[in-house]
Amino acid sequence: MKVIYPGSFHPPTLGHLDIIRRASTLFDEVIVAVMLNPDKHYLLTDEDRICMLRECTREIKNVRVIADEGLLADLCAREKADAILKGLRDAADYTYEAQMAEANRVLGVPETIYITSAPEYRHISSTIASDVARHGGNIALFVPEVIAESVGKAFKR
Ligand code: PNS
């Protein structure tokens, strides 16, 4: 079974990596898709985010990192993915994700599969991680060690 794990990954966090690792043991292939939004101004460039995710997942053989600018449902069709994969931290995530799952279902992707976040990562989000980085806090508590330095630098540019 092939799943697509989409996101903005601005930046990739310890929570994202935990979901990717756990998914890689459950599915034949996990495609991590950096969904690009040209209307948004990001401090991390598209290339930064793709490189960081590749760096974090280098040792996981059945993970592939790609980027796409279109509709997630179209990407799933092109990649012949069986389902979308998402992480769920709490009820607020669920409310938002259930709406997206339904939208993606009517757009042609029948299933979205969720993996619940491990308790030690539930407080982590990209928004919080980027805020910590911007203010010079210990970013290694929020993002994978191999990218901590680059994330810290990028948000202080
Ligand atoms: O990490 P994020 O910002 O919560 O990820 C949101 C993302 C990228 C998964 C979502 O915005 C998305 O799927 N964008 C692609 C465009 C699309 O298909 N929009 C309709 C989704 S229902």
Side-chain angles (χ1 to χ4, degrees), residues 42-128:
Y42 287 120
L43 280 175
L44 292 178
T45 66
D46 302 342
E47 269 312 305
D48 285 338
R49 291 177 287 149
I50 296 161
C51 288
M52 284 175 180
L53 280 162
R54 289 202 173 127
E55 183 73 22
C56 298
T57 58
R58 198 164 34 175
E59 268 142 44
I60 318 175
K61 295 290 169 255
N62 57 341
V63 170
R64 180 156 56 97
V65 178
I66 61 171
D68 195 83
E69 218 175 80
L71 265 187
L72 179 57
D74 293 342
L75 178 66
C76 288
R78 277 201 309 282
E79 290 287 345
K80 299 188 172 42
D82 299 291
I84 294 166
L85 171 72
K86 295 284 188 88
L88 273 189
R89 284 168 303 199
D90 52 25
D93 273 359
Y94 174 77
T95 305
Y96 177 58
E97 291 297 342
Q99 188 185 18
M100 289 225 274
E102 185 55 21
N104 282 314
R105 193 184 66 75
V106 300
L107 287 166
V109 189
E111 299 298 343
T112 298
I113 296 171
Y114 300 98
I115 292 183
T116 49
S117 301
E120 61 269 38
Y121 301 127
R122 261 179 218 153
H123 61 290
I124 298 179
S125 69
S126 290
T127 308
I128 287 178

